[in-house]
Amino acid sequence: MSPAEPIREATVADVDRLLELQSLCFGGEAWTRGMVEEELRRPGSIFLVAGSPVDGFACAWAILDDLHLLQIAVHPARRREGHASCLHAAVLDAARRQAVAGWLEVRADNAGGIAFYERHGWVPVGKRTRYYADGCDALVYRISFSSPPRT
Ligand SMILES: CC(C)(COP(=O)(O)OP(=O)(O)OC[C@H]1O[C@@H](n2cnc3c(N)ncnc32)[C@H](O)[C@@H]1OP(=O)(O)O)[C@@H](O)C(=O)NCCC(=O)NCCS
């Protein structure tokens, strides 16, 4: 995968690879096959993949004027090459027509994820205590679509 490689919508043909990436990137919190398939079918879901074979993906919901960024992940061997940044830009572009703001939750112990989101202009606005099954807090982040995208 290279940052120049086109990003496309995920399809049912990607499900097996998406499950591999789920397991590699999220371990015990990986989505199941049923969850991935549900996101592919869900109206308003933005589910994008990059690479051939697929090495990264992003999934979000566009609901009314909010974007909810659910997951963004890149194969561990392909990180720090700008791939998540390209996927992130594509998701925000897809939502920009209708969204006023974006929202996400990230584990408070996910230093890499937090650094990535803050690098891209997301601002911490709250905390959900013991939000995750293992007791970890969730940090809530927001981004305003009136701000120009950061590269
Ligand atoms: C977070 C994640 C998606 C970043 O993917 P990536 O392709 O490596 O990200 P990029 O290369 O586009 O990074 C862009 C910038 O974000 C920041 N960043 C990304 N990963 C970082 C890390 N582990 N530590 C610190 N900063 C990081 C840096 O500023 C980076 O720029 P730089 O490489 O020039 O320093 C990836 O580490 C991942 O898949 N993690 C596991 C899943 C996850 O936690 N997802 C987020 C919560 S859903």
Side-chain angles (χ1 to χ4, degrees), residues 122-141:
W122 292 80
V123 177
V125 291
K127 181 173 83 167
R128 300 192 204 283
T129 305
R130 301 181 64 80
Y131 180 79
Y132 295 98
D134 65 356
C136 185
D137 295 342
L139 304 182
V140 181
Y141 277 75

Side-chain angles (χ1 to χ4, degrees), residues 25-26 70-75 78-86 105-106 110-113 115-117 119-120:
C25 298
F26 296 110
L70 304 181
Q71 285 188 334
I72 185 163
V74 170
H75 190 290
R78 305 305 309 271
R79 291 182 186 162
R80 305 305 287 268
E81 298 178 26
H83 302 310
S85 298
C86 292
E105 280 129 14
V106 61
N110 184 352
F116 173 81
Y117 291 129
R119 166 77 175 75
H120 288 288

